[in-house]
Amino acid sequence: MKLNASLLLAGVLSASLVCAENLTEKNVEKAQAIIAAAVEAHGGAERLESINTVVIEHETENVATGQSRKAAPPWDRNPAAGVDAIDLENDLFVTRNHGNGGGFEFNNATVINGEESYQLNYRAGTAAPIAEPDFNTTSGPFVRVTPALLVRQLSARAQTARYMDDVESDGRTYEVISFSMEVGPAISMYFDKETHQLYRSERILPNFGLVEYRFTDYKSVDGIPFNQKFELFLNGDENMVRRNLKTKVNASIDNLIKIDSRLERAAAITPDPLSRQKIDEGVYLIGGTGTYAMFVEMDDYIVAVGGTAGIPERIEQLREVVLDKPIKFGVVTHHHFDHVLGVPAYVAEGATVIASAAHEAVVRDAAEDSDALKLKTIDDRYVIEDKNRRVEIIDIGPTAHSEHLLVAWLPKEGILFQADHFALPANGTIPPAGSSTKTFAGALIEHGIDPLKILAAHSPRVGTMKELRTAIEKEVVTVGSK
Ligand SMILES: [Zn+2]
């Protein structure tokens, strides 16, 4: 009886499989139709294919959501302006930006041009060769904010596209499809069901969350619609508003690619894998690819300082030299999102997280398991001491970057760890200081801190007071750009 029933069931199932259209086939067909309509709406296949270069001049307002001097809204709004240029035929890309934010003034550019790829700092007057230039990764952000290029890429990579759903939003109906670019997570693209133009796109970025892009004010350039306004939202919060002032198609980008000969050649920018530096007996700076933490060995435990990305891997590196001492404290320097990523790792280690009282809410938010969070908030200063070592955690704020900022000071060894106020390039020339660095230097004097070694959350290079002075005294040269 039982056998018969399952045979019967198998018969029904296979019959229904044969009758139903295959899900993937149906979905791909629908996606292809949406892509075809989108290509038409964005100027047609021929025009899109004929794009060799695109140059866009923009004015941008960056909203420092969670990255402002204060830990709560209203957020700082920071102005910037610049130009992006791409040459699709020759894999050339340039992005130039100047402005300020977070106590940093900047005027720089990245040029991707094969062997002639450079990171330019116009304030410092330097050109640093990029050892391993990557056209797709570097130009990706520009392609993602330029619908014509995005639709062209979608069409070229249509085999990765899938139809997701129809969605009603802000009084429009969108057909949503998803596809994968050369690098990075998949993108969902929202095409207006009537005009077939791209109005929104979305990606989920690890460590960031939901990134939403909105394109409006389309205007035709050489028969191709280009958006004049672009907005970026991060986890639902306004993050950037950009006005595209000038868009040119197939103009020469030679003058943008050219490296101004007055720029001083600086040391090459090379990949920076995870590594461990011994700074002093029992003091380690561990990190790579732009994020570093300090670990200080006490008699019976470890004090970890800094909460940037990759704390678990940095702890693994520590365990190669310090096998069994528990991490008792994890110090979070300030409330910016890239400096609280380490909170869950410290919670998992059973450590007490030390943070400024003003940053309590942000740190609690950052803990994945808030019940397990042991938090020690400090208003001014907290001293960790045993027979052999003294570690002072001091709030040296306010600075141009943050109202409150914890640094770790080892008076006996003359070692200071700080985040976001003084980071030297991995090697080569010291760039002129911005407001953030200047206010940091003032705070050191005010607190009577005179370090021999200055460690940074974003650089593997150990700085000195002499180098800090050099940065402050250095004139801003602003070569070759506005
Ligand atoms: Zn910061």
Side-chain angles (χ1 to χ4, degrees):
M1 232 2 230
K2 217 175 176 188
L3 183 70
N4 284 343
S6 59
L7 271 176
L8 185 68
L9 194 59
V12 170
L13 273 177
S14 63
S16 73
L17 278 175
V18 169
C19 291
E21 237 181 297
N22 178 279
L23 172 70
T24 307
E25 279 178 341
K26 205 170 139 189
N27 187 302
V28 166
E29 233 168 70
K30 173 122 189 168
Q32 302 308 321
I34 294 168
I35 294 170
V39 166
E40 247 358 274
H42 284 267
E46 204 177 313
R47 279 203 195 90
L48 286 178
E49 268 318 303
S50 72
I51 297 177
N52 289 328
T53 71
V54 176
V55 180
I56 295 179
E57 283 175 36
H58 64 83
E59 244 170 39
T60 296
E61 191 173 42
N62 293 302
V63 185
T65 309
Q67 297 291 96
S68 297
R69 287 187 72 232
K70 285 186 201 300
W75 306 116
D76 301 341
R77 299 178 83 92
N78 303 313
V83 56
D84 293 313
I86 196 166
D87 178 332
L88 296 164
E89 210 175 343
N90 302 301
D91 284 3
L92 307 176
F93 178 68
V94 184
T95 179
R96 274 190 184 192
N97 292 285
H98 61 96
N100 66 71
F104 287 96
E105 296 74 25
F106 57 88
N107 186 352
N108 48 33
T110 303
V111 174
I112 300 297
N113 177 17
E115 303 270 280
E116 290 296 301
S117 297
Y118 287 91
Q119 191 75 56
L120 311 179
N121 182 336
Y122 294 112
R123 290 181 86 244
T126 56
I130 299 169
E132 291 179 20
D134 180 340
F135 172 76
N136 286 323
T137 303
T138 314
S139 65
F142 176 60
V143 172
R144 280 189 289 274
V145 303
T146 310
L149 298 178
L150 205 48
V151 169
R152 180 178 139 135
Q153 189 151 131
L154 167 67
S155 165
R157 300 176 63 81
Q159 80 284 0
T160 72
R162 294 289 182 274
Y163 167 69
M164 292 178 76
D165 208 348
D166 278 19
V167 171
E168 307 264 344
S169 174
D170 16 279
R172 298 173 194 258
T173 305
Y174 299 101
E175 295 178 306
V176 187
I177 65 171
S178 146
F179 90 108
S180 296
M181 285 173 66
E182 200 93 28
V183 281
I187 311 185
S188 314
M189 303 189 33
Y190 289 63
F191 291 101
D192 185 300
K193 206 164 179 169
E194 272 169 39
T195 68
H196 303 292
Q197 282 183 338
L198 183 68
Y199 278 89
R200 283 169 59 184
S201 64
E202 293 167 358
R203 301 197 301 159
I204 305 270
L205 278 185
N207 283 342
F208 279 86
L210 176 66
V211 187
E212 293 170 75
Y213 308 76
R214 300 202 186 155
F215 311 97
T216 43
D217 291 359
Y218 275 104
K219 186 186 150 195
S220 170
V221 179
D222 295 352
I224 301 166
F226 279 87
N227 61 308
Q228 294 177 92
K229 188 178 177 192
F230 164 73
E231 291 164 285
L232 187 77
F233 291 80
L234 190 54
N235 295 313
D237 296 321
E238 187 184 26
N239 187 272
M240 178 200 277
V241 186
R242 177 168 284 193
R243 287 263 164 213
N244 290 337
L245 305 176
K246 216 184 261 178
T247 300
K248 289 182 275 184
V249 175
N250 292 342
S252 163
I253 71 164
D254 290 353
N255 61 330
L256 290 167
I257 285 289
K258 209 171 144 220
I259 309 296
D260 193 302
S261 60
R262 289 168 297 173
L263 292 168
E264 179 198 331
R265 288 293 186 273
I269 293 160
T270 51
D272 169 31
L274 184 63
S275 71
R276 179 183 61 241
Q277 282 185 70
K278 186 173 172 179
I279 306 299
D280 202 321
E281 206 50 55
V283 182
Y284 303 94
L285 183 69
I286 304 177
T289 49
T291 63
Y292 309 83
M294 178 174 75
F295 295 89
V296 182
E297 203 179 344
M298 307 296 283
D299 286 343
D300 302 317
Y301 57 88
I302 300 286
V303 179
V305 187
T308 46
I311 292 297
E313 294 75 31
R314 281 136 189 79
I315 293 174
E316 265 173 47
Q317 284 266 318
L318 172 75
R319 290 302 173 212
E320 291 175 9
V321 283
V322 185
L323 300 179
D324 48 5
K325 292 183 185 176
I327 295 176
K328 190 171 171 186
F329 298 106
V331 181
V332 169
T333 56
H334 64 304
H335 59 294
H336 291 162
F337 84 90
D338 57 322
H339 292 268
V340 296
L341 294 171
V343 170
Y346 291 138
V347 173
E349 289 283 324
T352 294
V353 174
I354 297 178
S356 160
H359 301 153
E360 175 169 353
V362 177
V363 171
R364 287 200 182 280
D365 250 15
E368 275 158 20
D369 182 357
S370 54
D371 291 338
L373 172 68
K374 288 184 274 177
L375 182 64
K376 165 88 193 149
T377 58
I378 70 170
D379 288 314
D380 178 30
R381 169 186 302 252
Y382 183 64
V383 177
I384 303 164
E385 197 169 22
D386 63 15
K387 276 208 306 292
N388 297 304
R389 205 181 309 267
R390 182 180 170 90
V391 181
E392 298 180 13
I393 310 300
I394 307 166
D395 185 348
I396 64 160
T399 70
H401 183 75
S402 182
E403 284 204 327
H404 297 272
L405 180 86
L406 299 188
V407 297
W409 170 229
L410 279 62
K412 218 187 283 178
E413 298 82 355
I415 296 170
L416 180 80
F417 180 95
Q418 57 74 42
D420 292 355
H421 285 73
F422 181 52
L424 294 167
N427 36 49
T429 323
I430 299 162
S435 319
S436 171
T437 306
K438 287 177 186 165
T439 50
F440 165 69
L444 291 188
I445 294 167
E446 197 184 308
H447 287 82
I449 300 170
D450 185 17
L452 295 170
K453 294 171 180 174
I454 306 172
L455 310 190
H458 293 301
S459 173
R461 182 161 156 198
V462 178
T464 63
M465 280 304 271
K466 191 169 169 239
E467 287 168 321
L468 179 57
R469 249 174 260 125
T470 304
I472 285 164
E473 284 159 13
K474 203 156 202 173
E475 268 181 64
V476 176
V477 290
T478 314
V479 159
S481 176
K482 38 187 151 168

